[in-house]
Amino acid sequence: MTLVDFVLAVRVPRLLEWLGRPRVLAAGVVPTAVGMTWLSRLDLHTPCLTGVALPMPVIGAGQGLAPAPMISSGVDGVAPEDAGPGSGLVTTVHQVGSALALSILTAAAATVSTGHSAADVAARTATALAGSAVLLALAVAAVLTLIVPARASRKQRTM
């Protein structure tokens, strides 16, 4: 996962020039959501290779592609003198959103079972991962409905 993340992250500037920010952002959030959905299918008898090892590079691909265009989309249209504080605000919202999502996923996982057997732990883990996949699906929907069309309409206005 980390190797794929790194390899793609260093290629993001070139990809941004070639494909544009909305496409690179979508190319990041979509595989992250797909990989997390795949990973959320875990149960007590899931093979490590197909249940964990294969979805992790898919998630890594998304994580390598998404952050840079996500932050730059968040400050799109901000005056140059306000770009630093704008970027800081986007990063802060990202961190607070991550903490909030983690608390929601933890609460959801806690409702599944109160046992301590391996099956209970697997069920709680699968619930948290499935909730994460749902949140990532919402992120995909937000990117495809808010960022991609807004960028296209702004480009048309400037032509």
Side-chain angles (χ1 to χ4, degrees):
M1 177 177 166
T2 304
L3 181 61
V4 173
D5 183 332
F6 176 77
V7 167
L8 288 174
V10 298
R11 288 187 164 71
V12 165
R14 180 173 283 156
L15 291 171
L16 289 171
E17 289 176 13
W18 188 45
L19 298 172
R21 187 176 352 135
R23 288 185 183 136
V24 175
L25 180 56
V29 294
V30 169
T32 304
V34 168
M36 190 59 70
T37 301
W38 186 358
L39 191 62
S40 73
R41 302 291 150 221
L42 284 175
D43 66 19
L44 198 54
H45 306 290
T46 302
C48 184
L49 177 65
T50 58
V52 179
L54 292 177
M56 293 305 274
V58 176
I59 295 169
Q63 292 301 296
L65 293 171
M70 191 178 312
I71 291 172
S72 62
S73 291
V75 296
D76 191 26
V78 173
E81 62 271 11
D82 295 329
S87 176
L89 180 62
V90 169
T91 302
T92 300
V93 169
H94 178 247
Q95 295 297 320
V96 170
S98 296
L100 179 61
L102 181 59
S103 66
I104 291 168
L105 296 173
T106 302
T111 65
V112 173
S113 171
T114 57
H116 299 290
S117 71
D120 291 328
V121 172
R124 285 192 299 273
T125 302
T127 299
L129 292 171
S132 182
V134 169
L135 293 174
L136 284 162
L138 292 172
V140 169
V143 167
L144 296 179
T145 60
L146 300 174
I147 294 175
V148 173
R151 181 72 178 173
S153 65
R154 189 170 21 264
K155 189 175 181 181
Q156 291 169 354
R157 285 195 305 260
T158 59
M159 290 182 152

